[in-house]
Amino acid sequence: MHLPTAVNRFATRALVAPLLSPTLPVGLRRRGLDLVGAALPLPRGTRRAHGELGGVRTEVVAPPGPFGPHRVIYLHGGGYLVGSAASHRPLVAGLARATGTPVHVPAYRLAPEHPFPAALDDALAVWHALRAAGHPARRIAVAGDSAGGGLAMSLVLRLRSEGEELPGAIGLISPWLDLTCTADALSRNASSDAMLDPSWLASAVADYAGSGVRAPELTPLDGDLGGLPPLHVVAGAEEVLVDDADTLVQRARAAGTPVTYSRVEGMWHAFPVLAGLLAEADDALRTLGLALRADCAPPPPTEMQLSGNC
């Protein structure tokens, strides 16, 4: 059941945002976010399973009914410090329904215990495991929100630098791409973003990237954005990281990469985490999921193929 936008905004500011603040111990923040995610509704018929891919614990969230051969790797947000499959389960379930296929959510290692490149190494291990299981690269979409969006871009850049096949599509929700934290929106939207306080970002950067913040995989906005798979971006117009999304979209389009961009007015950082409660969240996930599905799912058979005359 959808709640009014104002109610969702208030709940985000009062219940979720405090759990991202570095003033709380990181263990408490992780447990609190998991409890919030577990309390939110999931689409009817959602199925979940747990296992490992490439040695990384992974939750698989699948929609009801049969599904195609394409797959999604989803890298959750949380500033590289918090977040999990549990905290993002409503978002992932909505994405699974829209893409019509299972979504794999790795429990990648978190900072400060495991700084860069641990999370990237885990994402790469999951990718290689899916490929080894027989899934063609073009049938796998890589997606993520916030820091997970940055990690998704890091994964694609790592694959390209190592000469590997790239995924069929990239999906980004409120991606955090500029770890120098110098964008104008950090101050311009500080009062309008219900989720994220820009003053929290510096400590997350220090814990995750340390002195390696200029590593190419952590600076996708400065890299070559040409020749990438289709890029599908969602951001809130009132969020503090919207300049990251704007800049990525502008530079990727200029480099010739196919891009779609949903810049949703009145929305804050990572608003699709409220899937099931916020109409705009469900709309954004439906649009994103259908785009990923169109890029990665095999086309339906033609009449000639069905008749056996091909």
Side-chain angles (χ1 to χ4, degrees), residues 56-57 74-84 105-111 114 118-123 126 145 147-149 151 208:
V56 180
R57 290 185 298 108
Y74 192 85
L75 302 166
H76 67 77
Y80 300 103
L81 305 174
V82 299
S84 69
V105 189
Y108 62 82
R109 287 171 291 173
L110 298 173
H114 306 285
L120 177 55
D121 290 342
D122 288 349
V126 170
D145 68 284
L151 185 55
Y208 175 62

Side-chain angles (χ1 to χ4, degrees), residues 68-70 139 293-307 310:
H70 59 297
R139 301 294 185 218
R293 184 174 188 168
D295 288 331
C296 296
T302 65
E303 288 188 21
M304 184 176 294
Q305 289 171 326
L306 290 172
S307 65
C310 55

Side-chain angles (χ1 to χ4, degrees):
M1 180 182 68
H2 291 151
L3 299 176
T5 299
V7 173
N8 280 288
R9 179 185 293 274
F10 175 81
T12 298
R13 195 179 293 276
L15 301 176
V16 181
L19 295 172
L20 298 175
S21 171
T23 60
L24 294 177
V26 69
L28 179 61
R29 294 155 65 190
R30 291 171 183 170
R31 290 191 294 274
L33 287 170
D34 285 354
L35 288 173
V36 170
L40 298 180
L42 300 181
R44 187 183 302 273
T46 298
R47 295 173 288 173
R48 297 189 292 118
H50 295 86
E52 285 192 357
L53 282 172
V56 180
R57 290 185 298 108
T58 303
E59 178 167 299
V60 184
V61 179
F67 37 80
H70 59 297
R71 294 293 183 270
V72 180
I73 296 174
Y74 192 85
L75 302 166
H76 67 77
Y80 300 103
L81 305 174
V82 299
S84 69
S87 66
H88 284 65
R89 198 167 286 143
L91 183 160
V92 173
L95 189 61
R97 179 176 287 267
T99 56
T101 200
V103 178
H104 302 264
V105 189
Y108 62 82
R109 287 171 291 173
L110 298 173
E113 301 96 323
H114 306 285
F116 175 81
L120 177 55
D121 290 342
D122 288 349
L124 188 65
V126 170
W127 169 268
H128 284 153
L130 274 184
R131 295 283 286 114
H135 297 285
R138 68 183 184 281
R139 301 294 185 218
I140 304 173
V142 174
D145 68 284
S146 194
L151 185 55
M153 287 299 297
S154 294
L155 173 59
V156 174
L157 294 176
R158 171 73 71 86
L159 292 172
R160 186 172 66 179
S161 70
E162 296 184 353
E164 297 194 35
E165 290 185 78
L166 300 183
I170 307 169
L172 306 178
I173 298 171
S174 298
W176 186 19
L177 304 168
D178 179 10
L179 299 191
T180 66
C181 302
T182 56
D184 290 343
L186 292 172
S187 56
R188 185 178 72 247
N189 289 345
S191 62
S192 61
D193 194 328
M195 175 75 79
L196 195 57
D197 187 320
S199 67
W200 302 338
L201 298 179
S203 62
V205 172
D207 285 337
Y208 175 62
S211 60
V213 70
R214 300 307 303 178
E217 292 153 340
L218 295 179
T219 57
L221 295 179
D222 298 331
D224 178 10
L225 298 177
L228 296 181
L231 182 63
H232 306 287
V233 183
V234 175
E238 295 187 0
E239 67 167 288
V240 296
L241 295 183
V242 69
D243 284 358
D244 288 26
D246 288 349
T247 301
L248 176 69
V249 167
Q250 178 185 12
R251 294 181 181 179
R253 283 176 174 163
T257 292
V259 179
T260 66
Y261 188 21
S262 297
R263 194 181 194 271
V264 186
E265 293 297 325
M267 289 295 107
W268 49 90
H269 180 67
F271 66 93
V273 297
L274 293 174
L277 297 179
L278 178 65
E280 291 89 344
D282 288 346
D283 290 343
L285 287 176
R286 187 178 304 111
T287 300
L288 177 61
L290 290 175
L292 298 178
R293 184 174 188 168
D295 288 331
C296 296
T302 65
E303 288 188 21
M304 184 176 294
Q305 289 171 326
L306 290 172
S307 65
N309 294 325
C310 55

